[in-house]
Amino acid sequence: MKRRRVLLATTVALAIAGSTGVATTAFAEESARGFVNVAHRGGGGYAPEMTDAAFSLLPSQHPDVTEVDVQLSADGVPVLMHDATLQRTTDVADVFPGRAADLVNTFTLAELKQLDAGSWYHDRFAGEEVLTLDDVLDYVQPHGIGVFIELKDPAANPGVEQAIADVMNADPRWADMIADDLVTFTSFDQASLKRMTALQPEPPLVWVNSTVPSDTVLAEAATWADEFGTHYRTLNGATDIARIKATGMRAMLYTLNSPDVMQEGLDLGADTLITDFSGALSAVESGGNPVPQANGIVVKDVVADPPGSDLQPETGEHVVLTNVTSERIWVSGYYLNDAVINTLVVGSPYYIDPGAELRVYTGPGTNSPTKYYNDLGRNVLNNNGDSIAVFTSWHALVDLYAYT
Ligand code: G3P
Ligand code: CA
């Protein structure tokens, strides 16, 4: 519990100074916030995850920290990649035919550098590269932004902890980051976190689990972890937050992608909130506009699990858009992204009149002025909840919506 020692020291210092401030963490104090704002995957809602395009936006979004997922290349370099394979976030199927389903760690760094890690999100991001852990320093260190390093699928990446430690020992900027309390290790894998802290003892540890376990399991975790993170949609509200905090661990929630759920996370007293839209979270916290380019086209509803099949013709899963302004708005070329950037588009020509609705379907059907069918051949809208970001054809973010 390295962080707890920091908390104790800070609490004492504030008491001596007669401050009425609430001691939280070094991150929170630096940002004058009562919580830590974490840009998930480098802020992967605004631009392709963990690329130059995403990281370059961080200073303007004002997160405290960016989260990155680390795996090993075949030649042992810690690289930034979330999925086990490269299929979702690169053009591996085109560049290396026959290897698209192969694990990330079967590709050398030189091979990974041949991939386009941006076009999958949108053509406007063509040419983005796969980056390494060390690359992250250039984007965060000059701005005092922290890094949550997630050891992603460490069982499939043996030696990843030593490789991360080696990277940190090779560049003195990492020592500065650690000394400034700007590095944290996170993982779903407890054994990996324990191996990591044995090699690099200073950074705090966040154990992540998709649900909140029993009090007994939490209490055991609190003997070695500083923070526990879980999915906000599986959370039993304030009760679970209290159970986590009762152990002495801080409470982290992921991945909160609409102003409503961000506010709920803040109201619950979570210590750390992870979001793909850290700028929106900064605005929610400060009372600003979380979607500054909003134009009145908003998500009214998501019908993710209609009676029958999600992809049935005419009446399958869909998003309902509406226009809350008093003017007709053209929406041709608008696109809707879920949290992992499955994209539904709006065809052409389409507009929405004031108060009217446009239903954007995943499956097949007969287009009409109020219905547009993507006919993707696969379902997209998660029946267990997800988020939808609405972008114009020129990539202005106009709405953020989450459903359960
Ligand atoms: O660390 C919390 C969060 O990043 C876990 O979700 O799937 O993005 O790694 P995932
Ligand atoms: Ca992650």
Side-chain angles (χ1 to χ4, degrees), residues 322-375:
T322 192
N323 175 355
V324 297
T325 76
S326 56
E327 306 286 336
R328 171 177 289 182
I329 298 177
W330 289 88
V331 293
S332 298
Y334 276 41
Y335 50 99
L336 319 176
N337 288 345
D338 73 359
V340 290
I341 323 298
N342 288 301
T343 299
L344 298 179
V345 301
V346 178
S348 180
Y350 270 89
Y351 58 83
I352 307 178
D353 278 327
E357 295 176 355
L358 173 63
R359 291 172 187 269
V360 184
Y361 289 82
T362 306
T366 309
N367 290 339
S368 73
T370 59
K371 297 177 180 177
Y372 182 75
Y373 292 87
N374 276 258
D375 196 7

Side-chain angles (χ1 to χ4, degrees), residues 12 45 67 93 97 101-102 107 161 165 200 203 215 252 265 282 295 298 305 326 330 382:
V12 170
E67 183 256 7
D102 293 356
F107 291 79
E161 301 87 3
Q200 195 63 263
D215 288 346
M252 179 180 96
S282 298
N295 65 355
V298 300
D305 191 14
S326 56
W330 289 88
N382 190 337

Side-chain angles (χ1 to χ4, degrees), residues 40-41 67-69 82 150 152 186 188:
H40 186 229
R41 305 185 198 173
E67 183 256 7
V68 295
D69 300 292
H82 177 273
E150 179 170 350
K152 179 56 76 181
T186 86
F188 286 82

Side-chain angles (χ1 to χ4, degrees), residues 68-264:
V68 295
D69 300 292
V70 175
Q71 300 189 57
L72 282 184
S73 67
D75 45 346
V77 180
V79 295
L80 308 185
M81 192 58 59
H82 177 273
D83 295 5
T85 74
L86 300 156
Q87 294 180 92
R88 182 178 63 89
T89 58
T90 76
D91 59 349
V92 64
D94 298 331
V95 179
F96 297 104
R99 296 178 64 190
D102 293 356
L103 296 178
V104 172
N105 61 20
T106 63
F107 291 79
T108 64
L109 181 61
E111 289 174 329
L112 294 171
K113 286 292 183 184
Q114 296 176 44
L115 300 173
D116 179 338
S119 294
W120 68 277
Y121 181 111
H122 194 283
D123 288 347
R124 68 176 55 247
F125 296 112
E128 293 293 333
E129 291 184 10
V130 174
L131 298 180
T132 69
L133 174 61
D134 213 36
D135 290 333
V136 176
L137 278 175
D138 295 337
Y139 298 99
V140 297
Q141 208 248 359
H143 305 285
I145 297 171
V147 184
F148 273 27
I149 297 173
E150 179 170 350
L151 298 121
K152 179 56 76 181
D153 203 2
N157 290 275
V160 66
E161 301 87 3
Q162 184 64 59
I164 291 172
D166 290 346
V167 164
M168 294 185 162
N169 291 331
D171 189 327
R173 291 179 296 169
W174 281 111
D176 292 341
M177 290 276 290
I178 292 170
D180 290 341
D181 203 12
L182 292 174
V183 176
T184 298
F185 295 123
T186 86
S187 188
F188 286 82
D189 187 317
Q190 294 192 11
S192 179
L193 285 173
K194 291 172 182 173
R195 287 193 295 272
M196 190 71 247
T197 201
L199 295 166
Q200 195 63 263
E202 290 302 317
L205 305 178
V206 183
W207 177 44
V208 189
N209 202 54
S210 58
T211 56
V212 183
S214 69
D215 288 346
T216 305
V217 172
L218 283 175
E220 191 285 327
T223 64
W224 56 270
D226 301 271
E227 184 156 345
F228 174 81
T230 195
H231 199 298
Y232 80 92
R233 282 199 297 269
T234 68
L235 191 78
N236 181 20
T239 302
D240 274 353
I241 294 287
R243 289 207 297 122
I244 297 164
K245 290 190 172 188
T247 67
M249 289 190 292
R250 292 161 48 81
M252 179 180 96
L253 297 178
Y254 65 88
T255 303
L256 297 90
N257 279 351
S258 79
D260 287 349
V261 296
M262 291 169 185
Q263 188 61 57
E264 285 173 23

Side-chain angles (χ1 to χ4, degrees), residues 311-322:
L311 291 183
Q312 63 201 353
E314 307 295 345
T315 56
E317 64 173 33
H318 61 280
V319 177
V320 184
L321 297 177
T322 192

